[in-house]
Each structure stands twice: as C-alpha cells, then as structure tokens.
Amino acid sequence: MAQLIKLQDYASRYTADPYRYPSRFIRLKQQNWKRMKQAWDKYKQDGPESMDMEMKEYMFNGDIPETELELKQYYLNGLLPFQFKWASRTLTEMSFLDRYYEKDSTLIYFLQRYPDTFLFMYEPIFKIKKAPVETDHLLIHPQGIYCISYMDLPDTDKLIAGDDRTWYQENDRIRSRMLSPLISLKRSSRIVRSILHAYEIDFPVKQIVLAPNHLISFEYEPYQTEYIGMEEYEDWFHKMRTYSSPLKSIQLKAVSALLSYTQITSVRRPEWEDDSMDSFMHD
C-alpha cells in the first residue's frame, strides 16, 4: 500500500516529520496485519466462540472474509480512513477532507496497488515565489521521482501522441484534439527539479503518461519520459508492484525537500480531539 504523504494543500502528518512517519506507517501496518491475520486464522479454525464480541466487532465489523485474499482487501480498505487522517491533519492542525477523495478511484488505485515504500503526493500544490502551483501526481520511488499524468478518458479507444502541445483522442476512428499531457508534466518536473537543486539533492526525475485503459500511439518518447498505455501497462505494473526495497535515505531527503515547499491550508485542531494510536485501523 503506497503511502499518501500529501493531498493537494492539506495538512499532512508527513510534513511534520518526513523522516519518521514513513517507517512508522510500515511498522504499524505490519503489526496490525499480523494481529488481524491471527484473529482470522483462529476464527476459521475454532469458530465464532474463539473471539470475544469486542474483538470480533473491531476486527471484522460482523463481516467475516472467507479467503485470505478477501481478508487482505478488507484490511487495505480499512486502512484508507487512516491514510486520509494522516494526510489531512498533524498533531495540532487539520484540513477539512473533501469526501470526494474517499471514493476517488484514481487515488485508491495508487494507494492500494503499490508497495509501502512508494510515497505518493496526489495533485500537490506548491508555493513557488509565493504563488500556488498545482502539479501532476508525484510518486517518490526509492530510486527516483515519477511525475505522473494519469489518463482515463471516457469514450476514447486510443491516444495519439503529437507534439509538445497537442495530442489526439480517437474513438471509432474519429479524432479530436486535446492538450498534450506533456505540458503539465514538464511544468511539474521543472518544479521538482528546482526544489531538489535548491537542496543539492541528486535524485532522478522522470515523466510518465499512464493510461492503462487506452492504447497510446507514438513514434518516440521524449527524453526522460515514458508512455504506459494498455499494451505496456501489464509489464510495467508487474515490475513496479513486485519491486522490493527498503526506504532510502535520499528518498526521504527528497520527500522532506518537496514537502517544505508545499502549500498548507488548515485550522487548529480541537484540543479535546482524540489522537490515540491504540487502534491503527481507527486512528
């Protein structure tokens, strides 16, 4: 499960301590998965009487997964509210979460399909010369930063890469013009590189047009750019999903630099609001 370290201009727990929270999330996720799996195994072996009512309601809310695969999906779904909480508040500040994001299929796709060591910024807003600038999604991989334009266009069979400014959508052999995703991707990568340069961080930055549901027709890929359409997606996704690496110090250094330039819109949290870490699934 990729970690949501920044959501637009929301306050983020990761901004408060970018070196601590990524590893803390991984540790808590593993500990609570082990606890849930043990409870599920005991339930499957010994039946409902093996768990007291409080534990049963906490672990499964009355809906017992039948297979381990269902259990894993149940667990990932249960982690989403926790991810949104960490991505919309610190210990002292909070942003008002737009409920749209809880059902945003693109956001959920990135959070649930990639490894824990992939750190994700969803449409982050940076403050550049005191002006807010919205960028494409940023995936901070242990080996580099991907600026991603995710494209899922209705009534479109094929995307045809044109020049830097114009692409084409094709459906039933009828073409229409569209703005090239490279426009925003180049702006995003320039901002990322300038921030890394300011902190003297040497970390690769790459541009990706990701369109799993469309064919992408192109003659060549521009420098440091990759087109991932329907034909390229499975191989690319398998390589990303099966990538195994711990968090890297330079990766966290890059995260810290990027977060320091992001815009934050928040209010002070109520002093009485509970921030207990006792229950990871409900924190």
Side-chain angles (χ1 to χ4, degrees):
M1 184 174 220
Q3 300 187 48
L4 181 60
I5 65 172
K6 185 65 176 178
L7 179 59
Q8 287 218 327
D9 62 345
Y10 288 16
S12 169
R13 194 71 58 96
Y14 294 87
T15 304
D17 194 340
Y19 291 96
R20 174 185 174 215
Y21 280 102
S23 59
R24 188 179 186 189
F25 175 89
I26 293 172
R27 184 177 68 254
L28 288 170
K29 177 174 177 280
Q30 291 172 344
Q31 289 174 350
N32 282 270
W33 163 249
K34 183 178 180 180
R35 182 184 177 204
M36 177 173 282
K37 178 65 164 52
Q38 288 174 342
W40 182 77
D41 287 339
K42 187 172 180 60
Y43 178 90
K44 296 294 283 186
Q45 178 178 333
D46 300 332
E49 63 278 3
S50 65
M51 291 189 294
D52 59 45
M53 185 60 65
E54 181 180 354
M55 177 60 71
K56 181 180 176 182
E57 289 181 356
Y58 163 66
M59 301 301 283
F60 305 114
N61 295 317
D63 180 14
I64 308 296
E66 289 296 321
T67 66
E68 185 172 333
L69 184 62
E70 291 178 359
L71 181 69
K72 288 179 179 179
Q73 188 60 55
Y74 174 87
Y75 185 61
L76 291 178
N77 291 341
L79 287 177
L80 284 174
F82 177 85
Q83 286 255 50
F84 289 129
K85 184 173 183 178
W86 271 21
S88 61
R89 65 189 66 193
T90 67
L91 295 178
T92 58
E93 301 292 318
M94 63 178 289
S95 302
F96 295 102
L97 180 68
D98 188 332
R99 296 302 178 188
Y100 161 80
Y101 292 115
E102 296 177 347
K103 304 295 183 182
D104 186 334
S105 59
T106 301
L107 176 54
I108 293 172
Y109 160 80
F110 278 107
L111 296 185
Q112 293 196 337
R113 305 297 297 277
Y114 294 94
D116 298 342
T117 55
F118 289 21
L119 309 178
F120 189 56
M121 303 176 75
Y122 191 82
E123 298 177 346
I125 299 175
F126 291 90
K127 288 192 75 171
I128 306 298
K129 296 181 180 179
K130 299 184 179 180
V133 181
E134 186 172 316
T135 67
D136 290 291
H137 311 310
L138 303 181
L139 188 64
I140 299 89
H141 186 283
Q143 292 186 330
I145 298 174
Y146 297 140
C147 303
I148 300 177
S149 176
Y150 186 86
M151 308 190 73
D152 188 10
L153 307 174
D155 302 321
T156 299
D157 299 323
K158 182 190 293 186
L159 297 171
I160 301 169
D163 55 30
D164 284 354
R165 298 203 61 81
T166 304
W167 277 32
Y168 299 89
Q169 299 173 244
E170 184 173 282
N171 186 46
D172 291 335
R173 299 184 180 181
I174 299 175
R175 291 187 183 182
S176 58
R177 289 175 181 265
M178 60 176 287
L179 280 177
S180 168
L182 297 180
I183 297 173
S184 62
L185 278 177
K186 286 185 175 181
R187 182 180 69 247
S188 299
S189 61
R190 278 197 305 269
I191 290 172
V192 170
R193 289 191 178 97
S194 67
I195 294 172
L196 297 182
H197 179 73
Y199 282 83
E200 299 182 343
I201 300 171
D202 185 14
F203 203 43
V205 179
K206 192 171 186 177
Q207 301 171 168
I208 293 181
V209 178
L210 183 58
N213 301 316
H214 307 296
L215 295 170
I216 301 181
S217 175
F218 59 94
E219 294 184 4
Y220 68 93
E221 293 172 325
Y223 178 61
Q224 294 182 328
T225 302
E226 194 171 1
Y227 297 152
I228 309 297
M230 187 183 296
E231 293 179 335
E232 300 82 16
Y233 177 72
E234 288 302 326
D235 287 343
W236 179 85
F237 178 69
H238 178 75
K239 181 172 66 175
M240 294 284 280
R241 185 172 174 80
T242 58
Y243 178 84
S244 178
S245 169
L247 293 163
K248 302 289 189 181
S249 59
I250 192 170
Q251 177 190 15
L252 298 179
K253 191 175 181 180
V255 164
S256 178
L258 292 172
L259 288 174
S260 72
Y261 272 82
T262 55
Q263 178 165 296
I264 299 174
T265 303
S266 63
V267 299
R268 188 159 185 83
R269 285 179 59 176
E271 293 181 2
W272 61 83
E273 187 176 49
D274 181 30
D275 196 55
S276 171
M277 291 295 296
D278 293 338
S279 171
F280 178 53
M281 293 283 287
H282 301 279
D283 182 81

